[in-house]
């Protein structure tokens, strides 16, 4: 691996980690709404988190797709 | 030099997409389910168009204000 | 146009765009409060958005002016 | 070198103004009308003075804490 | 080169700590008193473990999604 | 003082100021909850602000400490 590849990998890793942090922030607020009593995440919280990630990406794709349809007039 | 200008436009579009997704996900998908329902999809499209209109109204109002009052910001 | 001017213009454009993004974010939250049903912004929403931009700038100017009066002791 | 120090102070004042405007616009102008009412103007001035006091209280508390507990942050 | 990778890990841990503190302070300490009560301390530990679990669930879901749909983000 | 020291000092100062800004933001939201009527902060607001700063730092230390106990597996 040369330096160029190494740097690109690191940048991609940083972007991935930043996305995970902001998705966790958003989905925590949406899915973990009650009082903190148990140290573990229950079934319904877990499926909410997984759905939250997937619907957020769906939503992003829908918006980008719609922008393309509109001819990119931003 | 046009590369810098292009990057600036890309950055602008990227921020707009991020903001739309943030606001419209919040409004249209309060409880994320196993897939996007058709109601949620419709809401996202509607919300997106509305957000872009709001963005245009704000841009215009801001430009008008800056022109009438150059030292104002 | 030389390079210096070009760069300054681009910086100013970037700042303008960033301001529009944050004003739209703020004023959307303040003015578009109901359910999303129509694709168009109605009269009262539009005037709320325009007023929001202008009052936000008024407010900023009032604060900066007041700071000057206070002798800039920040 | 004093230029860097000055820039840092300008940056600090700029952030303070941004924060005051963000918080006080929210508190004082819940529904933006066609002009700033005198009640809104008074509220902004009052809010600004209060925010700067809060900023001073927080600074002092933070300095005190750091001094008593240097590894603490 | 390992220094850059290390910095990236440090940055990642730092952000995680910041996010945990932001979310758990909000949930566990609604009214800050003169010291951390034992209830607040317990809540912080519990909340932290829960946040890290949520972070793992989100990471896994995001990785799964990216793999099934490489152009999807 | 040489340049290196000067730059480090400035960086530390910038970090301190950024912390004060974000603590003031957070603690203002937590402690100044009523309508704005007086220009001065009252006793209970002041002690709330001071406690907010200290408990926030306590909370941060508790989290970092706990992470250490867990063997730093982040």
């Amino acid at each position: 691996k040369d330096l160029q590849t190494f740097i690109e990998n690191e940048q991609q890793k940083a972007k991935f980690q930043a996305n995970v942090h902001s998705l966790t922030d958003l989905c925590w607020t949406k899915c973990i709404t009650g009082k903190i009593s148990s140290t573990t995440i229950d079934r319904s919280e877990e499926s909410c988190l997984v759905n939250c990630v997937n619907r957020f990406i769906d939503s992003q794709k829908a918006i980008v797709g719609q922008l393309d349809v509109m001819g990119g007039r931003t | 030099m046009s590369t810098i200008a292009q990057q600036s436009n890309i950055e602008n579009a990227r921020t707009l997409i991020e903001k739309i997704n943030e606001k419209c996900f919040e409004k249209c998908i309060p409880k994320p389910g196993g897939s996007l329902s058709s109601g949620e999809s419709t809401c996202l499209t509607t919300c997106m168009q509305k957000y872009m209109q709001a963005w245009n109204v704000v841009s215009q109002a801001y430009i008008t204000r800056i022109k009438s009052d150059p030292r104002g910001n």
Side-chain angles (χ1 to χ4, degrees), chain A, chain B:
Chain A
K1 262 197 280 185
D2 63 356
L3 186 62
Q4 175 80 15
T5 316
F6 174 77
I7 289 172
E8 279 169 11
N9 281 345
E10 284 302 314
Q11 283 175 337
Q12 217 166 350
K13 211 175 93 187
K15 180 143 181 42
F16 169 81
Q17 287 174 343
N19 285 344
V20 170
H21 283 303
S22 76
L23 282 167
T24 307
D25 184 329
L26 175 85
C27 298
W28 170 270
T29 304
K30 233 183 175 63
C31 300
I32 317 293
T33 51
K35 284 213 157 192
I36 298 293
S37 49
S38 158
T39 52
T40 50
I41 282 181
D42 68 30
R43 281 290 178 102
S44 72
E45 287 168 337
E46 181 168 349
S47 79
C48 180
L49 289 169
V50 173
N51 288 336
C52 175
V53 170
N54 282 295
R55 298 302 77 70
F56 189 81
I57 296 172
D58 287 347
S59 165
Q60 198 175 45
K61 289 179 74 171
I63 289 161
V64 173
Q66 191 66 24
L67 278 174
D68 282 346
V69 169
M70 293 164 75
R73 51 178 165 90
T74 52
Chain B
M1 300 215 279
S2 69
T3 316
I4 297 181
Q6 272 175 8
Q7 281 195 334
S8 160
N9 288 338
I10 290 170
E11 177 65 18
N12 192 34
R14 207 188 49 75
T15 306
L16 185 58
I17 290 167
E18 247 180 51
K19 291 280 186 185
I20 292 174
N21 202 18
E22 182 194 320
K23 296 298 179 185
C24 296
F25 185 72
E26 192 188 311
K27 277 223 181 263
C28 297
I29 310 176
K31 287 181 191 299
S35 64
L36 275 194
S37 73
S38 70
E40 287 167 345
S41 289
T42 308
C43 181
L44 284 173
T45 307
T46 311
C47 180
M48 186 191 111
Q49 292 174 331
K50 206 161 180 171
Y51 195 89
M52 288 174 68
Q53 266 192 59
W55 188 83
N56 280 325
V57 169
V58 166
S59 295
Q60 283 310 315
Y62 187 41
I63 290 169
T64 305
R65 175 65 181 248
I66 289 173
K67 280 192 181 152
S68 77
D69 183 13
R71 289 189 346 103
N73 195 1

